Amino acid sequence: MAKQNLDWANIGFAYRKTDMRYVAAYRNGAWEEGTLTADDQITMTECAGVLQYAQTCFEGLKAYETANGDVVCFRPDLNAERMIASCRRLMIPEIPKEMFLTAIREVVRANLDWVPPYGSGASLYIRPYVFGKSAVIGVKPAEEYEFRVFVTPVGPYFKGDARPISLKVSDYDRAAPHGLGNIKAGANYAAALFMIENAHEEGYAENLYLDPATHTLIEETGGSNVFFVDKDRTIIIPHSKTDSILPSITRRSIVQVARDVLRLQVTEREVALSEIASFAEMGACGTAAVISPVGMVHDHGKEIVFPNGMEQSGPVVKELYDTLTGMQLGTVEAPEGWIFPVAEA
Ligand SMILES: *Cc1c(COP(=O)(O)O)cnc(C)c1O
C-alpha cells in the first residue's frame, strides 16, 4: 500500500472518487448486512422516495492521520446518534449505532491510501447517508432504503485556511421554527443553495441566518454553528427556543473544551443581531472547517467588524481551534471516548 500521490495541501473541498464505499440495504422490514464495494454508481427506480419527496439525510465527519501515524475519527458516536434522530424525523428506519460505526471503520480502512498525511492540513471527509429507494407516488415513506458511506480527501473547507471569513446576514430563512433545522436533512441544503450562491457572488463565505419568526436573533450559517466571545473571554452560544439550530458536534465539543480545558465560562442563550457588535470575537464551527474565525458580518449595508479584523484570528477562537485540532491530530490529550481508533500506524 502506498499513499495516493496528491498535492494534499491544495486539494480543496471537492469530491474525488476513492477505492471503496460501504452499502447496506433495508428490505422486508430489516437492515441487511452491509458490504464494501468498488462500484460508485447507484441504480434505482425513477419513482424512488428520495427522488420524489427528498426522503434522505446525511452525516459528515472526518478521519485524521495523527502525529504518530494512527488513523482516528473524532466522536463518530455522536454522528451515529444524530443520524438516528434525523431518520426518526424523516420516517427512515434508524441506522443501528453499531452498523454506523462499523461502516465508518471499514470504509476508512479500505481507503487508507487516501488519508492525507499528518501535517498536510488535509483530512479524509466521511459522508454517511441514507435514502428512500423504493417507489412512492402517494406521499408516504418508502419501503426500501439504502445506507451508504463514502470517503473523499479534502483540504480546509474555506479557501485561505484559518484566515477570517466574512458572513452576510440573510433575508431568507434556513429552517422553519419546529421544522427540519435540528436534523441533517438534504432538503435543508436544497433550500439554501439559492442563498449560498448569492452570498458567494457578493464575496461572502456564507450566510448568517436569523430566527425566522422575528429576524432579530442569531441562529447559524448554512453549514456551521456560530459562537461569540465577549470581552471577559466568556463563550456565548446562540440558543433557539424553536429548535431550529443544528446540534453541531464541533460546537458541543467547543463548549466542553472551553469549560474543562481552557477554564472559560460558557453561556447558551438567545443572541440578538443588535448586540453582536459589542462582542470581542466570533467563530463559525463545523466538521468541514473545524473553527473559522469570523472577521466581519455584513448586515444590510452595515459592516460589523470584529477587533481581530480580516487578517488574523481572535485569540480565544485560536486557542479553541488549536486545542480541538490538537486533540484530533493526537498532540493534545482528548477527553475519554472522543477519539475513535480506526487503524494503527
Ligand atoms: C453539519 C452542520 C453543522 C456542523 O455540525 P458538526 O457536527 O459540527 O459538523 C452546523 N450547521 C448545519 C446546518 C449543519 O448541517
Side-chain angles (χ1 to χ4, degrees):
M1 275 208 309
K3 288 257 189 229
Q4 295 289 323
N5 186 19
L6 293 176
D7 178 12
W8 298 105
N10 295 304
I11 50 178
F13 203 94
Y15 172 76
R16 269 188 177 72
K17 183 183 160 191
T18 54
D19 298 334
M20 303 297 274
R21 65 276 305 121
Y22 178 94
V23 190
Y26 182 92
R27 282 192 204 99
N28 304 317
W31 283 108
E32 296 177 355
E33 200 172 331
T35 52
L36 291 172
T37 171
D39 187 1
D40 65 324
Q41 300 292 310
I42 300 173
T43 305
M44 61 184 141
T45 166
E46 62 190 354
C47 204
V50 60
L51 297 178
Q52 301 310 322
Y53 302 123
Q55 198 189 11
T56 180
C57 59
F58 67 99
E59 274 301 324
L61 67 160
K62 284 173 167 177
Y64 304 88
E65 187 175 292
T66 65
N68 69 6
D70 294 341
V71 174
V72 304
C73 289
F74 185 73
R75 312 188 75 183
D77 50 313
L78 297 188
N79 295 95
E81 287 167 14
R82 191 168 62 190
M83 189 157 221
I84 288 173
S86 298
C87 286
R88 280 191 188 141
R89 180 68 175 78
L90 296 171
M91 296 301 292
I92 296 172
E94 292 168 24
I95 315 296
K97 197 165 173 175
E98 271 319 304
M99 181 164 116
F100 184 97
L101 294 174
T102 300
I104 301 296
R105 186 176 266 131
E106 285 187 10
V107 181
V108 176
R109 289 180 73 104
N111 292 286
L112 285 177
D113 296 354
W114 295 93
V115 180
Y118 172 76
S120 64
S123 50
L124 189 72
Y125 187 75
I126 307 170
R127 170 52 60 87
Y129 60 112
V130 56
F131 54 92
K133 202 179 175 192
S134 58
V136 282
I137 193 69
V139 178
K140 62 176 178 133
E143 285 181 353
E144 295 180 0
Y145 294 83
E146 206 160 283
F147 170 57
R148 286 185 163 248
V149 184
F150 68 77
V151 296
T152 185
V154 293
Y157 187 69
F158 292 110
K159 285 187 206 120
D161 217 358
R163 298 259 293 194
I165 57 168
S166 57
L167 304 176
K168 178 193 167 177
V169 175
S170 182
D171 289 325
Y172 291 90
D173 300 322
R174 187 190 78 88
H178 312 290
L180 299 182
N182 62 343
I183 61 158
K184 246 176 142 60
N188 287 338
Y189 282 75
L193 288 175
F194 179 80
M195 295 88 93
I196 290 174
E197 287 303 295
N198 171 260
H200 287 176
E201 271 164 29
E202 295 180 10
Y204 302 100
E206 252 285 15
N207 288 288
L208 181 60
Y209 293 103
L210 304 176
D211 73 299
T214 69
H215 276 213
T216 59
L217 305 172
I218 304 287
E219 294 216 321
E220 62 174 316
T221 83
S224 58
N225 283 181
V226 298
F227 63 95
F228 300 91
V229 185
D230 76 8
K231 297 197 171 74
D232 303 325
R233 292 168 54 92
T234 295
I235 310 292
I236 295 141
I237 310 276
H239 174 79
S240 156
K241 278 190 183 134
T242 57
D243 217 11
S244 39
I245 299 176
L246 198 282
S248 157
I249 294 162
T250 316
R251 184 250 299 164
R252 285 181 274 163
S253 304
I254 286 171
V255 168
Q256 214 169 317
V257 165
R259 277 193 185 129
D260 300 346
V261 182
L262 304 181
R263 305 282 168 200
L264 301 173
Q265 300 286 333
V266 181
T267 317
E268 293 195 41
R269 63 165 172 86
E270 290 186 341
V271 175
L273 173 62
S274 61
E275 67 178 307
I276 71 171
S278 70
F279 291 137
E281 299 176 48
M282 178 175 182
C285 60
T287 295
V290 190
I291 305 177
S292 295
V294 177
M296 190 261 278
V297 172
H298 179 95
D299 174 23
H300 300 92
K302 202 172 75 214
E303 287 189 350
I304 300 162
V305 181
F306 292 97
N308 50 287
M310 293 303 292
E311 293 302 316
Q312 58 182 22
S313 175
V316 176
V317 165
K318 180 157 178 15
E319 272 177 65
L320 286 166
Y321 177 85
D322 289 345
T323 309
L324 211 54
T325 52
M327 288 175 177
Q328 291 166 340
L329 299 176
T331 57
V332 173
E333 198 187 336
E336 180 82 32
W338 280 22
I339 302 302
F340 178 79
V342 173
E344 293 194 352

